[in-house]
Amino acid sequence: MDKMVIEGGFPLVGEVSIGGSKNASLPIIVSSIMFDEFDSEIDNVPGLEDIKTIKKLLTSLGAEIKESDEPDKLVINTSGINNYDAPYDLVKTMRASVLVLGPLVAKYKKARVSLPGGCAIGARPIDFHLNALRSLGAVVEVDHGYVEVHADKLKGAVINFPIPTVTGTENIIMAATLAEGTTIIKNAAMEPEVDDMIFALNNGGADIKRVEQSIIVVNGVKKLRRLCHRVLPDRIEAGTFMTASAITKGDIVLKNINVQHLKAIIDKLSEAGAKIIINSSSQLRVKGSKAIKSVDISTAPYPNFPTDMQAQMMALMTLSGGLCVVTENVFENRFMHVAELIRLGANIKVRNNFAIVKGVQKLSGAEVMATDLRASASLILAGLASSDGLTTVSRIYHLDRGYEKMEEKLSNLGAIISRVKENDIPVVDEPDFNGSACSKSA
Ligand code: EPU
């Protein structure tokens, strides 16, 4: 197992290029299941552990992932799919594996997928996905830890999600794409990653429209043509580097981003004192302020402040000049980074779903442990800002699920950071809040 060693206290300066979005790549890659006539071509796919897992899952179903000269391009042939099972071993490493439910049922009218179970950041059930599939006419049974879905045919229906769910919306859009008739999805997720998948499917022959902000209409089609898509930039990777500039009082230019998707993050970082200069729709510059201002943060579905940036923003707030409240409204257990930030000298108290952060003069290097993907990013940022002593972040495999070449990108900006092998006895399973093994988050 690797850990990251950081000597902090230096401003990060320079340019960084942001990769393709993890959370858009995953549904688009699995949607290739519905395009079996031609090879699917997907560009700007980041080189992440989660992408390796979804490729493994597709291969296990019988798809062929072809070699491509371009490292961020995937070419997938799904004509050989002959297995409809997503086994526990794969789903337990990445819960987004449940995204195969929609396309498998749409195309083959059957799927058997392991229930993902709880995870470090919350219980994260998939009941909304399953109820929506039932509404489309599928028979859904849960037995021995597996969800089994089958349908003679899927028929359009009105689906009203109790709260917006990102992967739930994606799963049901895919299931409805080849269904008979029209499906109306109310209270649908509004995240840009959902729209990127819709764009990819429509280009391939689907008929999907977002008729109002939170209402999506899917007119089922008989057949799809060809999937050929370039994935949108990762707004959370972008937000993480923007926060890296703010917390180190640096000056970073981010390239290959979609500025439009970063509004909530730009607003909060500006309130916190960072100067944000928008150079174009795909490039911006963040100049950190000498004095970080305290700002309250409250997470909610897009277009509000993303839960996937809460931990990183909290790291910034630990060095602010005052007191602020960070409220987590999406996941019930997404404060695992707090205890680790405290080890670095932060002053934070958690009460139910909010944390009170009182800014301190400085953070000091310490040994800390990553508990999930975004918590690891938060600890790296805090380590970069720790002005005295080394910080080592262990269990860095969480980071590799969602950030490509993080230490290389940070080193290019002047950070003193290196990846080393851990001498400790490797910890394979870690307890989640229920006491069962779990290392997944996304
Ligand atoms: N929920 C239910 N039942 C369901 C589905 C969701 O109760 O059937 C609840 C969840 O427990 C949660 C809320 O609804 O409290 C919203 O969860 P959502 O379904 O939107 O989350 P998700 O689709 O499982 C995606 C991202 C997460 C991101 C969330 C929220 C992917 C692959 N994952 O998860 O990304 O935090 O949306 O924006 O798209 C990450 O990248 O670090 C990550 C965790």
Side-chain angles (χ1 to χ4, degrees):
M1 249 197 297
D2 295 348
K3 63 183 173 183
M4 217 64 103
V5 181
I6 305 162
E7 187 183 340
F10 306 103
L12 300 190
V13 179
E15 283 187 359
V16 64
S17 180
I18 299 303
S21 157
K22 164 177 84 72
N23 289 348
S25 296
L26 293 169
I28 293 169
I29 291 170
V30 299
S31 79
S32 67
I33 291 172
M34 301 190 291
F35 295 83
D36 61 341
E37 211 169 311
F38 299 101
D39 285 357
S40 294
E41 289 187 21
I42 311 168
D43 258 326
N44 205 29
V45 177
L48 303 171
E49 285 305 311
D50 275 10
I51 300 297
K52 285 188 196 155
T53 305
I54 207 76
K55 280 160 60 177
K56 225 191 243 179
L57 177 52
L58 275 186
T59 310
S60 80
L61 299 178
E64 184 193 355
I65 316 270
K66 297 185 176 175
E67 291 294 322
S68 158
D69 292 342
E70 297 157 56
D72 60 355
K73 181 171 180 174
L74 279 188
V75 178
I76 310 169
N77 185 297
T78 55
S79 62
I81 288 188
N82 55 6
N83 174 31
Y84 316 98
D85 258 45
Y88 179 62
D89 274 356
L90 286 174
V91 182
K92 78 167 195 238
T93 46
M94 185 184 71
R95 52 181 307 115
S97 307
V98 299
L99 280 167
V100 296
L101 267 176
L104 278 178
V105 178
K107 179 76 188 167
Y108 298 102
K109 307 288 177 282
K110 57 182 165 187
R112 185 171 177 270
V113 174
S114 167
L115 268 180
C119 116
I121 63 175
R124 302 181 73 182
I126 56 163
D127 50 335
F128 304 159
H129 305 224
L130 303 185
N131 289 339
L133 284 171
R134 287 188 181 105
S135 301
L136 294 180
V139 176
V140 179
E141 283 158 334
V142 179
D143 207 8
H144 300 294
Y146 276 79
V147 181
E148 285 199 45
V149 185
H150 58 94
D152 291 336
K153 68 172 172 202
L154 294 177
K155 273 186 98 168
V158 177
I159 285 147
N160 197 348
F161 282 122
I163 51 172
T165 156
V166 176
T167 49
T169 302
E170 291 161 349
N171 238 337
I172 297 320
I173 289 173
M174 289 190 275
T177 289
L178 292 171
E180 193 183 290
T182 298
T183 298
I184 300 170
I185 307 171
K186 296 183 179 174
N187 208 14
M190 294 190 270
E191 272 66 7
E193 292 76 21
V194 177
D195 283 353
D196 202 38
M197 185 198 77
I198 293 176
F199 187 78
L201 293 178
N202 281 343
N203 267 346
D207 181 356
I208 309 160
K209 284 185 202 75
R210 192 182 279 280
V211 291
E212 279 178 35
Q213 273 197 321
S214 63
I215 301 182
I216 294 171
V217 173
V218 186
N219 291 309
V221 295
K222 291 230 154 33
K223 211 165 164 318
L224 292 169
R225 295 189 301 265
R226 183 161 183 214
L227 180 65
C228 194
H229 184 71
R230 183 174 173 79
V231 174
L232 90 170
D234 196 307
R235 66 194 163 99
I236 305 301
E237 188 195 10
T240 303
F241 277 94
M242 289 167 74
T243 313
S245 187
I247 200 170
T248 63
K249 305 176 176 26
D251 187 352
I252 300 182
V253 173
L254 285 93
K255 291 160 62 178
N256 300 327
I257 55 171
N258 187 326
V259 170
Q260 234 191 323
H261 298 155
L262 294 168
K263 192 173 176 320
I265 299 168
I266 292 174
D267 287 352
K268 274 296 158 196
L269 285 175
S270 304
E271 266 183 66
K275 189 166 179 206
I276 313 238
I277 303 144
I278 296 172
N279 295 336
S280 70
S281 58
S282 63
Q283 194 184 104
L284 61 69
R285 177 175 175 190
V286 182
K287 288 170 83 174
S289 148
K290 292 270 176 286
I292 299 166
K293 293 185 198 145
S294 55
V295 288
D296 291 340
I297 296 144
S298 183
T299 67
Y302 191 84
N304 298 299
F305 193 85
T307 173
D308 292 346
M309 277 299 300
Q310 179 255 106
Q312 300 90 312
M313 196 69 188
M314 190 189 287
L316 178 66
M317 286 301 102
T318 63
L319 286 168
S320 73
L323 194 82
C324 74
V325 179
V326 178
T327 311
E328 174 53 55
N329 294 305
V330 180
F331 293 113
E332 67 274 22
N333 198 42
R334 209 170 199 182
F335 281 140
M336 305 274 278
H337 42 283
V338 168
E340 303 302 306
L341 288 172
I342 289 172
R343 288 182 57 73
L344 295 169
N347 182 344
I348 311 171
K349 295 209 165 32
V350 174
R351 299 272 178 274
N352 305 314
N353 73 327
F354 62 91
I356 302 159
V357 186
K358 188 164 186 288
V360 293
Q361 288 286 321
K362 66 163 192 170
L363 297 175
S364 307
E367 289 175 67
V368 290
M369 190 176 76
T371 48
D372 65 74
L373 166 56
R374 307 304 169 186
S376 13
S378 150
L379 297 175
I380 300 268
L381 296 187
L384 290 168
S386 294
S387 48
D388 121 55
L390 290 181
T391 297
T392 56
V393 185
S394 56
R395 298 193 180 178
I396 213 66
Y397 55 83
H398 289 294
L399 188 82
D400 297 333
R401 297 189 50 189
Y403 292 91
E404 185 178 7
K405 299 186 180 146
M406 179 72 145
E407 69 276 25
E408 202 178 300
K409 290 185 178 184
L410 288 170
S411 297
N412 288 340
L413 295 168
I416 303 179
I417 180 168
S418 53
R419 182 184 286 260
V420 296
K421 291 265 170 251
E422 263 191 276
N423 297 325
D424 307 347
I425 301 161
V427 183
V428 179
D429 291 335
E430 63 199 57
D432 71 352
F433 63 101
N434 281 329
S436 62
C438 170
S439 62
K440 56 197 176 277
S441 69

